[in-house]
Amino acid sequence: MANFGNNDEGKQVSNFAKYTGIAFQMLATIGVFAFVGYKIDEHSGSTKSIYTAMLGLLGVIISLYMVIRSLTKK
């Protein structure tokens, strides 16, 4: 007698863990880039947060690239 319910639940838990890990990886990447930009802006004494914005955007682009790469990998 096969128990198909447990297999589906295991797959759901696995997918949940995978996608949660991807979300935390995105947050960490964007956060690190934005923090570095903030520190550069703070060190330069600029009143505008140019580096924070630029590096934050770069972090978003890199994190999206990493997500797409991990989702298309077999």
Side-chain angles (χ1 to χ4, degrees):
M1 184 171 10
N3 190 354
F4 294 109
N6 286 341
N7 190 21
D8 289 340
E9 288 177 15
K11 188 174 181 179
Q12 287 177 352
V13 169
S14 175
N15 284 338
F16 178 76
K18 177 182 175 183
Y19 295 126
T20 302
I22 289 173
F24 281 116
Q25 183 180 9
M26 286 183 71
L27 282 172
T29 303
I30 296 167
V32 166
F33 275 85
F35 180 74
V36 170
Y38 173 77
K39 285 299 182 180
I40 292 172
D41 282 332
E42 187 179 74
H43 181 70
S44 68
S46 177
T47 58
K48 296 183 181 183
S49 301
I50 298 298
Y51 288 105
T52 304
M54 287 178 14
L55 288 178
L57 182 62
L58 181 62
V60 169
I61 292 168
I62 290 172
S63 67
L64 285 174
Y65 170 76
M66 290 183 340
V67 167
I68 291 170
R69 190 181 70 184
S70 70
L71 291 177
T72 57
K73 185 171 57 171
K74 292 183 180 181

Short mmCIF file of all heavy atoms in Angstrom, two decimals:
data_model
loop_
_atom_site.label_atom_id
_atom_site.label_comp_id
_atom_site.label_asym_id
_atom_site.label_seq_id
_atom_site.Cartn_x
_atom_site.Cartn_y
_atom_site.Cartn_z
N MET A 1 0.84 -1.16 0.00
CA MET A 1 0.00 0.00 0.00
C MET A 1 0.90 1.24 0.00
O MET A 1 1.69 1.45 0.90
CB MET A 1 -0.91 -0.03 1.22
CG MET A 1 -1.84 1.11 1.18
SD MET A 1 -3.21 1.25 2.34
CE MET A 1 -3.12 0.09 3.58
N ALA A 2 0.79 2.07 -1.03
CA ALA A 2 1.62 3.26 -1.16
C ALA A 2 0.95 4.44 -0.47
O ALA A 2 -0.27 4.59 -0.50
CB ALA A 2 1.83 3.58 -2.63
N ASN A 3 1.77 5.28 0.12
CA ASN A 3 1.27 6.47 0.80
C ASN A 3 1.73 7.69 -0.01
O ASN A 3 2.84 8.19 0.18
CB ASN A 3 1.80 6.53 2.24
CG ASN A 3 1.12 7.61 3.04
OD1 ASN A 3 0.34 8.39 2.51
ND2 ASN A 3 1.41 7.65 4.31
N PHE A 4 0.90 8.14 -0.92
CA PHE A 4 1.27 9.25 -1.80
C PHE A 4 1.21 10.59 -1.11
O PHE A 4 1.84 11.54 -1.53
CB PHE A 4 0.37 9.26 -3.04
CG PHE A 4 0.57 8.06 -3.91
CD1 PHE A 4 -0.39 7.07 -3.98
CD2 PHE A 4 1.74 7.91 -4.63
CE1 PHE A 4 -0.20 5.96 -4.77
CE2 PHE A 4 1.93 6.80 -5.42
CZ PHE A 4 0.96 5.82 -5.50
N GLY A 5 0.46 10.71 -0.04
CA GLY A 5 0.34 11.98 0.68
C GLY A 5 1.66 12.44 1.25
O GLY A 5 2.00 13.61 1.21
N ASN A 6 2.44 11.52 1.80
CA ASN A 6 3.73 11.89 2.38
C ASN A 6 4.71 12.36 1.32
O ASN A 6 5.51 13.25 1.56
CB ASN A 6 4.32 10.72 3.17
CG ASN A 6 3.61 10.50 4.48
OD1 ASN A 6 2.92 11.40 4.97
ND2 ASN A 6 3.77 9.32 5.04
N ASN A 7 4.68 11.77 0.15
CA ASN A 7 5.56 12.17 -0.93
C ASN A 7 5.26 13.60 -1.37
O ASN A 7 6.17 14.39 -1.60
CB ASN A 7 5.46 11.20 -2.10
CG ASN A 7 6.53 11.45 -3.15
OD1 ASN A 7 7.55 12.06 -2.86
ND2 ASN A 7 6.28 10.99 -4.35
N ASP A 8 3.98 13.92 -1.50
CA ASP A 8 3.59 15.28 -1.88
C ASP A 8 3.98 16.28 -0.80
O ASP A 8 4.44 17.38 -1.10
CB ASP A 8 2.08 15.36 -2.14
CG ASP A 8 1.68 14.64 -3.43
OD1 ASP A 8 2.56 14.43 -4.29
OD2 ASP A 8 0.49 14.30 -3.56
N GLU A 9 3.79 15.91 0.46
CA GLU A 9 4.16 16.81 1.55
C GLU A 9 5.66 17.03 1.59
O GLU A 9 6.12 18.14 1.82
CB GLU A 9 3.67 16.24 2.88
CG GLU A 9 2.18 16.32 3.07
CD GLU A 9 1.72 15.68 4.37
OE1 GLU A 9 2.57 15.42 5.24
OE2 GLU A 9 0.51 15.43 4.50
N GLY A 10 6.42 15.99 1.36
CA GLY A 10 7.88 16.11 1.34
C GLY A 10 8.35 17.01 0.22
O GLY A 10 9.28 17.80 0.38
N LYS A 11 7.69 16.90 -0.93
CA LYS A 11 8.05 17.75 -2.07
C LYS A 11 7.68 19.20 -1.78
O LYS A 11 8.42 20.11 -2.12
CB LYS A 11 7.33 17.26 -3.33
CG LYS A 11 7.77 17.96 -4.59
CD LYS A 11 7.13 17.34 -5.81
CE LYS A 11 7.62 18.05 -7.06
NZ LYS A 11 7.05 17.48 -8.26
N GLN A 12 6.54 19.42 -1.12
CA GLN A 12 6.13 20.78 -0.77
C GLN A 12 7.11 21.40 0.22
O GLN A 12 7.46 22.57 0.09
CB GLN A 12 4.72 20.78 -0.21
CG GLN A 12 3.64 20.55 -1.22
CD GLN A 12 2.25 20.48 -0.59
OE1 GLN A 12 2.10 20.47 0.62
NE2 GLN A 12 1.24 20.44 -1.44
N VAL A 13 7.53 20.63 1.20
CA VAL A 13 8.49 21.13 2.18
C VAL A 13 9.81 21.43 1.50
O VAL A 13 10.44 22.45 1.77
CB VAL A 13 8.67 20.11 3.33
CG1 VAL A 13 9.84 20.48 4.21
CG2 VAL A 13 7.40 19.99 4.15
N SER A 14 10.22 20.58 0.59
CA SER A 14 11.46 20.80 -0.14
C SER A 14 11.39 22.07 -0.98
O SER A 14 12.33 22.86 -1.01
CB SER A 14 11.75 19.60 -1.03
OG SER A 14 12.89 19.83 -1.83
N ASN A 15 10.27 22.26 -1.69
CA ASN A 15 10.09 23.47 -2.49
C ASN A 15 10.04 24.71 -1.61
O ASN A 15 10.61 25.75 -1.95
CB ASN A 15 8.82 23.38 -3.33
CG ASN A 15 8.99 22.49 -4.53
OD1 ASN A 15 10.12 22.25 -4.98
ND2 ASN A 15 7.89 21.99 -5.06
N PHE A 16 9.36 24.60 -0.46
CA PHE A 16 9.27 25.73 0.46
C PHE A 16 10.66 26.12 0.94
O PHE A 16 11.01 27.30 0.97
CB PHE A 16 8.37 25.38 1.64
CG PHE A 16 8.26 26.47 2.67
CD1 PHE A 16 7.48 27.58 2.43
CD2 PHE A 16 8.96 26.38 3.87
CE1 PHE A 16 7.38 28.59 3.36
CE2 PHE A 16 8.87 27.38 4.80
CZ PHE A 16 8.08 28.50 4.56
N ALA A 17 11.46 25.14 1.32
CA ALA A 17 12.82 25.42 1.79
C ALA A 17 13.67 26.04 0.68
O ALA A 17 14.44 26.97 0.92
CB ALA A 17 13.45 24.14 2.31
N LYS A 18 13.51 25.52 -0.53
CA LYS A 18 14.29 26.03 -1.67
C LYS A 18 13.96 27.49 -1.94
O LYS A 18 14.86 28.32 -2.05
CB LYS A 18 13.99 25.18 -2.91
CG LYS A 18 14.67 25.65 -4.16
CD LYS A 18 14.27 24.78 -5.34
CE LYS A 18 14.83 25.29 -6.63
NZ LYS A 18 14.40 24.49 -7.78
N TYR A 19 12.67 27.81 -2.03
CA TYR A 19 12.28 29.17 -2.37
C TYR A 19 12.49 30.14 -1.21
O TYR A 19 12.78 31.32 -1.43
CB TYR A 19 10.83 29.20 -2.87
CG TYR A 19 10.67 28.44 -4.16
CD1 TYR A 19 9.72 27.44 -4.30
CD2 TYR A 19 11.49 28.71 -5.25
CE1 TYR A 19 9.59 26.74 -5.49
CE2 TYR A 19 11.37 28.01 -6.44
CZ TYR A 19 10.42 27.03 -6.55
OH TYR A 19 10.31 26.34 -7.71
N THR A 20 12.38 29.66 0.01
CA THR A 20 12.69 30.51 1.16
C THR A 20 14.18 30.84 1.17
O THR A 20 14.57 31.98 1.44
CB THR A 20 12.29 29.81 2.47
OG1 THR A 20 10.89 29.52 2.42
CG2 THR A 20 12.57 30.69 3.66
N GLY A 21 15.00 29.86 0.85
CA GLY A 21 16.43 30.10 0.76
C GLY A 21 16.78 31.11 -0.32
O GLY A 21 17.64 31.96 -0.13
N ILE A 22 16.09 31.02 -1.44
CA ILE A 22 16.32 31.97 -2.52
C ILE A 22 15.94 33.39 -2.08
O ILE A 22 16.65 34.35 -2.36
CB ILE A 22 15.54 31.55 -3.78
CG1 ILE A 22 16.17 30.31 -4.40
CG2 ILE A 22 15.50 32.68 -4.82
CD1 ILE A 22 15.37 29.70 -5.54
N ALA A 23 14.82 33.51 -1.36
CA ALA A 23 14.39 34.83 -0.89
C ALA A 23 15.39 35.43 0.08
O ALA A 23 15.73 36.62 -0.01
CB ALA A 23 13.02 34.72 -0.23
N PHE A 24 15.89 34.62 1.01
CA PHE A 24 16.89 35.13 1.96
C PHE A 24 18.20 35.48 1.26
O PHE A 24 18.87 36.44 1.63
CB PHE A 24 17.13 34.13 3.09
CG PHE A 24 16.06 34.17 4.14
CD1 PHE A 24 15.25 33.08 4.36
CD2 PHE A 24 15.85 35.32 4.90
CE1 PHE A 24 14.26 33.12 5.32
CE2 PHE A 24 14.86 35.38 5.86
CZ PHE A 24 14.06 34.27 6.08
N GLN A 25 18.55 34.72 0.24
CA GLN A 25 19.75 35.03 -0.52
C GLN A 25 19.60 36.37 -1.24
O GLN A 25 20.53 37.17 -1.27
CB GLN A 25 20.02 33.91 -1.53
CG GLN A 25 21.28 34.09 -2.33
CD GLN A 25 21.51 32.95 -3.31
OE1 GLN A 25 20.64 32.10 -3.50
NE2 GLN A 25 22.66 32.94 -3.92
N MET A 26 18.41 36.61 -1.80
CA MET A 26 18.16 37.90 -2.45
C MET A 26 18.25 39.04 -1.46
O MET A 26 18.88 40.07 -1.73
CB MET A 26 16.77 37.91 -3.10
CG MET A 26 16.65 37.12 -4.36
SD MET A 26 15.02 37.28 -5.10
CE MET A 26 15.08 38.96 -5.68
N LEU A 27 17.61 38.87 -0.29
CA LEU A 27 17.66 39.92 0.73
C LEU A 27 19.08 40.20 1.18
O LEU A 27 19.47 41.37 1.36
CB LEU A 27 16.80 39.52 1.93
CG LEU A 27 15.31 39.68 1.78
CD1 LEU A 27 14.58 39.06 2.97
CD2 LEU A 27 14.95 41.14 1.67
N ALA A 28 19.86 39.16 1.38
CA ALA A 28 21.23 39.33 1.82
C ALA A 28 22.06 40.05 0.77
O ALA A 28 22.83 40.97 1.09
CB ALA A 28 21.85 37.98 2.16
N THR A 29 21.91 39.66 -0.48
CA THR A 29 22.68 40.29 -1.56
C THR A 29 22.35 41.77 -1.68
O THR A 29 23.25 42.62 -1.72
CB THR A 29 22.41 39.58 -2.90
OG1 THR A 29 22.72 38.20 -2.77
CG2 THR A 29 23.22 40.18 -4.02
N ILE A 30 21.07 42.09 -1.73
CA ILE A 30 20.65 43.49 -1.85
C ILE A 30 21.08 44.27 -0.62
O ILE A 30 21.58 45.40 -0.71
CB ILE A 30 19.13 43.58 -2.07
CG1 ILE A 30 18.76 42.94 -3.41
CG2 ILE A 30 18.66 45.03 -2.04
CD1 ILE A 30 17.27 42.69 -3.58
N GLY A 31 20.92 43.67 0.55
CA GLY A 31 21.30 44.34 1.79
C GLY A 31 22.78 44.65 1.88
O GLY A 31 23.17 45.74 2.30
N VAL A 32 23.61 43.70 1.48
CA VAL A 32 25.06 43.92 1.53
C VAL A 32 25.47 45.03 0.57
O VAL A 32 26.24 45.93 0.93
CB VAL A 32 25.82 42.61 1.22
CG1 VAL A 32 27.29 42.86 0.92
CG2 VAL A 32 25.67 41.63 2.37
N PHE A 33 24.94 45.00 -0.64
CA PHE A 33 25.29 46.04 -1.61
C PHE A 33 24.80 47.42 -1.15
O PHE A 33 25.53 48.41 -1.27
CB PHE A 33 24.72 45.71 -2.99
CG PHE A 33 25.61 44.81 -3.80
CD1 PHE A 33 25.55 43.43 -3.65
CD2 PHE A 33 26.50 45.34 -4.71
CE1 PHE A 33 26.35 42.59 -4.38
CE2 PHE A 33 27.32 44.51 -5.46
CZ PHE A 33 27.26 43.13 -5.29
N ALA A 34 23.60 47.49 -0.63
CA ALA A 34 23.08 48.77 -0.15
C ALA A 34 23.88 49.27 1.06
O ALA A 34 24.15 50.47 1.19
CB ALA A 34 21.60 48.64 0.21
N PHE A 35 24.27 48.36 1.95
CA PHE A 35 25.06 48.75 3.11
C PHE A 35 26.42 49.28 2.71
O PHE A 35 26.89 50.30 3.25
CB PHE A 35 25.22 47.56 4.07
CG PHE A 35 26.02 47.88 5.29
CD1 PHE A 35 25.46 48.65 6.31
CD2 PHE A 35 27.32 47.42 5.42
CE1 PHE A 35 26.20 48.95 7.44
CE2 PHE A 35 28.06 47.73 6.55
CZ PHE A 35 27.50 48.49 7.56
N VAL A 36 27.06 48.62 1.75
CA VAL A 36 28.36 49.11 1.26
C VAL A 36 28.19 50.49 0.63
O VAL A 36 29.00 51.40 0.86
CB VAL A 36 28.99 48.10 0.27
CG1 VAL A 36 30.19 48.69 -0.44
CG2 VAL A 36 29.37 46.82 1.00
N GLY A 37 27.13 50.68 -0.16
CA GLY A 37 26.87 51.99 -0.74
C GLY A 37 26.62 53.04 0.32
O GLY A 37 27.09 54.18 0.21
N TYR A 38 25.90 52.67 1.37
CA TYR A 38 25.64 53.60 2.48
C TYR A 38 26.95 54.01 3.16
O TYR A 38 27.16 55.19 3.47
CB TYR A 38 24.70 52.94 3.50
CG TYR A 38 24.50 53.75 4.74
CD1 TYR A 38 23.67 54.87 4.74
CD2 TYR A 38 25.14 53.40 5.92
CE1 TYR A 38 23.49 55.62 5.88
CE2 TYR A 38 24.96 54.14 7.07
CZ TYR A 38 24.14 55.25 7.04
OH TYR A 38 23.97 56.00 8.19
N LYS A 39 27.82 53.05 3.39
CA LYS A 39 29.10 53.36 4.03
C LYS A 39 29.97 54.23 3.14
O LYS A 39 30.67 55.12 3.63
CB LYS A 39 29.83 52.05 4.40
CG LYS A 39 29.24 51.36 5.59
CD LYS A 39 29.32 52.26 6.80
CE LYS A 39 28.80 51.62 8.04
NZ LYS A 39 28.87 52.51 9.20
N ILE A 40 29.94 54.01 1.84
CA ILE A 40 30.70 54.86 0.91
C ILE A 40 30.14 56.28 0.96
O ILE A 40 30.89 57.26 1.02
CB ILE A 40 30.68 54.29 -0.52
CG1 ILE A 40 31.48 52.99 -0.57
CG2 ILE A 40 31.24 55.30 -1.52
CD1 ILE A 40 31.36 52.24 -1.89
N ASP A 41 28.82 56.41 0.92
CA ASP A 41 28.20 57.75 1.00
C ASP A 41 28.53 58.42 2.33
O ASP A 41 28.81 59.62 2.38
CB ASP A 41 26.68 57.64 0.85
CG ASP A 41 26.24 57.46 -0.59
OD1 ASP A 41 26.96 57.92 -1.49
OD2 ASP A 41 25.17 56.85 -0.80
N GLU A 42 28.51 57.66 3.40
CA GLU A 42 28.81 58.20 4.72
C GLU A 42 30.27 58.67 4.79
O GLU A 42 30.56 59.73 5.34
CB GLU A 42 28.56 57.13 5.78
CG GLU A 42 28.68 57.58 7.19
CD GLU A 42 28.37 56.45 8.15
OE1 GLU A 42 29.23 55.54 8.30
OE2 GLU A 42 27.27 56.46 8.73
N HIS A 43 31.17 57.89 4.22
CA HIS A 43 32.59 58.23 4.24
C HIS A 43 32.90 59.45 3.38
O HIS A 43 33.74 60.26 3.73
CB HIS A 43 33.42 57.04 3.78
CG HIS A 43 34.90 57.28 3.81
ND1 HIS A 43 35.61 57.40 4.97
CD2 HIS A 43 35.79 57.43 2.80
CE1 HIS A 43 36.88 57.62 4.69
NE2 HIS A 43 37.01 57.64 3.38
N SER A 44 32.20 59.57 2.26
CA SER A 44 32.47 60.69 1.35
C SER A 44 31.83 61.98 1.83
O SER A 44 32.17 63.05 1.34
CB SER A 44 31.98 60.36 -0.06
OG SER A 44 30.58 60.29 -0.10
N GLY A 45 30.90 61.90 2.78
CA GLY A 45 30.27 63.10 3.31
C GLY A 45 29.24 63.71 2.38
O GLY A 45 28.85 64.86 2.55
N SER A 46 28.78 62.95 1.41
CA SER A 46 27.81 63.45 0.45
C SER A 46 26.43 63.56 1.09
O SER A 46 26.05 62.74 1.94
CB SER A 46 27.75 62.50 -0.75
OG SER A 46 26.76 62.91 -1.66
N THR A 47 25.67 64.58 0.72
CA THR A 47 24.32 64.73 1.25
C THR A 47 23.33 63.88 0.47
O THR A 47 22.22 63.64 0.94
CB THR A 47 23.87 66.20 1.18
OG1 THR A 47 23.94 66.65 -0.17
CG2 THR A 47 24.76 67.07 2.07
N LYS A 48 23.71 63.45 -0.72
CA LYS A 48 22.85 62.59 -1.53
C LYS A 48 23.35 61.15 -1.45
O LYS A 48 24.55 60.89 -1.41
CB LYS A 48 22.84 63.06 -2.99
CG LYS A 48 22.25 64.44 -3.15
CD LYS A 48 22.20 64.84 -4.58
CE LYS A 48 21.61 66.25 -4.68
NZ LYS A 48 21.47 66.68 -6.04
N SER A 49 22.43 60.23 -1.47
CA SER A 49 22.77 58.80 -1.34
C SER A 49 22.94 58.16 -2.71
O SER A 49 22.26 57.19 -3.06
CB SER A 49 21.69 58.09 -0.54
OG SER A 49 21.55 58.65 0.71
N ILE A 50 23.89 58.66 -3.48
CA ILE A 50 24.10 58.17 -4.84
C ILE A 50 24.62 56.75 -4.83
O ILE A 50 24.11 55.87 -5.53
CB ILE A 50 25.08 59.10 -5.60
CG1 ILE A 50 24.50 60.51 -5.72
CG2 ILE A 50 25.42 58.53 -6.97
CD1 ILE A 50 23.22 60.60 -6.49
N TYR A 51 25.65 56.49 -4.03
CA TYR A 51 26.24 55.15 -4.01
C TYR A 51 25.28 54.13 -3.41
O TYR A 51 25.26 52.97 -3.84
CB TYR A 51 27.56 55.15 -3.24
CG TYR A 51 28.67 55.84 -4.01
CD1 TYR A 51 29.10 57.11 -3.65
CD2 TYR A 51 29.27 55.22 -5.10
CE1 TYR A 51 30.10 57.75 -4.36
CE2 TYR A 51 30.27 55.84 -5.81
CZ TYR A 51 30.68 57.11 -5.44
OH TYR A 51 31.66 57.73 -6.15
N THR A 52 24.50 54.53 -2.43
CA THR A 52 23.51 53.62 -1.86
C THR A 52 22.51 53.20 -2.93
O THR A 52 22.19 52.01 -3.06
CB THR A 52 22.77 54.28 -0.68
OG1 THR A 52 23.73 54.71 0.28
CG2 THR A 52 21.80 53.33 -0.04
N ALA A 53 22.03 54.15 -3.70
CA ALA A 53 21.06 53.85 -4.75
C ALA A 53 21.68 53.00 -5.86
O ALA A 53 21.09 52.01 -6.31
CB ALA A 53 20.50 55.14 -5.34
N MET A 54 22.89 53.37 -6.29
CA MET A 54 23.53 52.65 -7.39
C MET A 54 23.87 51.21 -6.97
O MET A 54 23.60 50.27 -7.71
CB MET A 54 24.78 53.39 -7.85
CG MET A 54 24.48 54.63 -8.64
SD MET A 54 25.90 55.62 -9.19
CE MET A 54 27.30 54.61 -8.99
N LEU A 55 24.47 51.06 -5.80
CA LEU A 55 24.85 49.71 -5.38
C LEU A 55 23.63 48.89 -4.97
O LEU A 55 23.61 47.67 -5.14
CB LEU A 55 25.86 49.78 -4.25
CG LEU A 55 27.27 50.23 -4.68
CD1 LEU A 55 28.20 50.32 -3.48
CD2 LEU A 55 27.84 49.33 -5.73
N GLY A 56 22.59 49.53 -4.45
CA GLY A 56 21.35 48.82 -4.17
C GLY A 56 20.72 48.27 -5.44
O GLY A 56 20.27 47.12 -5.48
N LEU A 57 20.72 49.07 -6.49
CA LEU A 57 20.21 48.62 -7.79
C LEU A 57 21.07 47.51 -8.37
O LEU A 57 20.55 46.53 -8.91
CB LEU A 57 20.12 49.80 -8.76
CG LEU A 57 19.57 49.50 -10.15
CD1 LEU A 57 18.12 49.01 -10.04
CD2 LEU A 57 19.63 50.74 -11.01
N LEU A 58 22.38 47.65 -8.22
CA LEU A 58 23.27 46.59 -8.67
C LEU A 58 23.01 45.29 -7.90
O LEU A 58 23.01 44.20 -8.49
CB LEU A 58 24.73 47.01 -8.50
CG LEU A 58 25.79 46.02 -8.96
CD1 LEU A 58 25.67 45.75 -10.46
CD2 LEU A 58 27.17 46.52 -8.61
N GLY A 59 22.74 45.41 -6.61
CA GLY A 59 22.40 44.24 -5.81
C GLY A 59 21.12 43.57 -6.29
O GLY A 59 21.03 42.34 -6.32
N VAL A 60 20.13 44.36 -6.67
CA VAL A 60 18.88 43.81 -7.21
C VAL A 60 19.14 43.06 -8.51
O VAL A 60 18.65 41.95 -8.71
CB VAL A 60 17.83 44.92 -7.42
CG1 VAL A 60 16.64 44.41 -8.21
CG2 VAL A 60 17.38 45.50 -6.09
N ILE A 61 19.93 43.66 -9.38
CA ILE A 61 20.23 43.03 -10.66
C ILE A 61 21.00 41.72 -10.46
O ILE A 61 20.66 40.70 -11.06
CB ILE A 61 21.02 44.01 -11.57
CG1 ILE A 61 20.12 45.18 -11.97
CG2 ILE A 61 21.59 43.30 -12.79
CD1 ILE A 61 20.84 46.33 -12.61
N ILE A 62 21.98 41.74 -9.59
CA ILE A 62 22.77 40.53 -9.33
C ILE A 62 21.91 39.45 -8.69
O ILE A 62 21.98 38.27 -9.06
CB ILE A 62 24.00 40.85 -8.48
CG1 ILE A 62 25.00 41.66 -9.30
CG2 ILE A 62 24.66 39.59 -7.92
CD1 ILE A 62 26.17 42.19 -8.52
N SER A 63 21.05 39.84 -7.74
CA SER A 63 20.21 38.84 -7.08
C SER A 63 19.19 38.24 -8.05
O SER A 63 18.93 37.04 -8.01
CB SER A 63 19.51 39.42 -5.85
OG SER A 63 18.57 40.40 -6.22
N LEU A 64 18.64 39.04 -8.94
CA LEU A 64 17.73 38.51 -9.96
C LEU A 64 18.45 37.55 -10.90
O LEU A 64 17.91 36.51 -11.28
CB LEU A 64 17.07 39.64 -10.75
CG LEU A 64 15.98 40.40 -10.03
CD1 LEU A 64 15.51 41.58 -10.87
CD2 LEU A 64 14.81 39.49 -9.70
N TYR A 65 19.68 37.89 -11.26
CA TYR A 65 20.47 37.00 -12.11
C TYR A 65 20.70 35.67 -11.41
O TYR A 65 20.57 34.61 -12.01
CB TYR A 65 21.81 37.66 -12.46
CG TYR A 65 22.77 36.72 -13.13
CD1 TYR A 65 22.61 36.36 -14.46
CD2 TYR A 65 23.84 36.16 -12.43
CE1 TYR A 65 23.47 35.48 -15.08
CE2 TYR A 65 24.70 35.28 -13.04
CZ TYR A 65 24.52 34.94 -14.36
OH TYR A 65 25.38 34.07 -14.96
N MET A 66 21.04 35.72 -10.12
CA MET A 66 21.28 34.48 -9.37
C MET A 66 20.01 33.65 -9.25
O MET A 66 20.07 32.42 -9.32
CB MET A 66 21.86 34.81 -7.99
CG MET A 66 23.26 35.35 -8.06
SD MET A 66 24.13 35.72 -6.51
CE MET A 66 22.92 35.87 -5.28
N VAL A 67 18.86 34.30 -9.06
CA VAL A 67 17.60 33.57 -8.97
C VAL A 67 17.27 32.90 -10.30
O VAL A 67 16.93 31.71 -10.33
CB VAL A 67 16.44 34.50 -8.54
CG1 VAL A 67 15.10 33.85 -8.75
CG2 VAL A 67 16.61 34.92 -7.10
N ILE A 68 17.38 33.63 -11.38
CA ILE A 68 17.09 33.06 -12.70
C ILE A 68 18.03 31.91 -13.00
O ILE A 68 17.61 30.86 -13.49
CB ILE A 68 17.16 34.16 -13.78
CG1 ILE A 68 16.00 35.13 -13.60
CG2 ILE A 68 17.14 33.54 -15.18
CD1 ILE A 68 16.10 36.38 -14.45
N ARG A 69 19.30 32.07 -12.67
CA ARG A 69 20.27 31.01 -12.91
C ARG A 69 19.94 29.76 -12.09
O ARG A 69 20.03 28.64 -12.58
CB ARG A 69 21.68 31.50 -12.59
CG ARG A 69 22.76 30.55 -13.05
CD ARG A 69 24.10 31.05 -12.71
NE ARG A 69 24.22 30.95 -11.25
CZ ARG A 69 25.25 31.37 -10.55
NH1 ARG A 69 26.24 31.98 -11.15
NH2 ARG A 69 25.29 31.24 -9.24
N SER A 70 19.55 29.96 -10.82
CA SER A 70 19.25 28.78 -9.98
C SER A 70 17.93 28.11 -10.38
O SER A 70 17.79 26.90 -10.23
CB SER A 70 19.21 29.18 -8.51
OG SER A 70 18.08 29.96 -8.23
N LEU A 71 16.98 28.86 -10.90
CA LEU A 71 15.71 28.26 -11.30
C LEU A 71 15.80 27.54 -12.64
O LEU A 71 15.03 26.61 -12.88
CB LEU A 71 14.61 29.32 -11.34
CG LEU A 71 14.17 29.90 -10.00
CD1 LEU A 71 13.13 30.99 -10.21
CD2 LEU A 71 13.65 28.82 -9.08
N THR A 72 16.70 27.96 -13.50
CA THR A 72 16.83 27.31 -14.80
C THR A 72 17.83 26.17 -14.77
O THR A 72 17.90 25.40 -15.72
CB THR A 72 17.25 28.31 -15.89
OG1 THR A 72 18.48 28.94 -15.51
CG2 THR A 72 16.17 29.36 -16.11
N LYS A 73 18.58 26.05 -13.68
CA LYS A 73 19.55 24.95 -13.55
C LYS A 73 18.80 23.65 -13.28
O LYS A 73 17.88 23.62 -12.50
CB LYS A 73 20.52 25.26 -12.40
CG LYS A 73 21.63 24.26 -12.27
CD LYS A 73 22.68 24.70 -11.29
CE LYS A 73 22.12 24.99 -9.91
NZ LYS A 73 23.16 25.21 -8.91
N LYS A 74 19.21 22.61 -13.94
CA LYS A 74 18.54 21.31 -13.77
C LYS A 74 19.15 20.51 -12.67
O LYS A 74 20.21 20.55 -12.28
CB LYS A 74 18.59 20.54 -15.07
CG LYS A 74 17.75 21.18 -16.15
CD LYS A 74 17.76 20.36 -17.39
CE LYS A 74 16.90 21.06 -18.44
NZ LYS A 74 16.83 20.34 -19.67
#
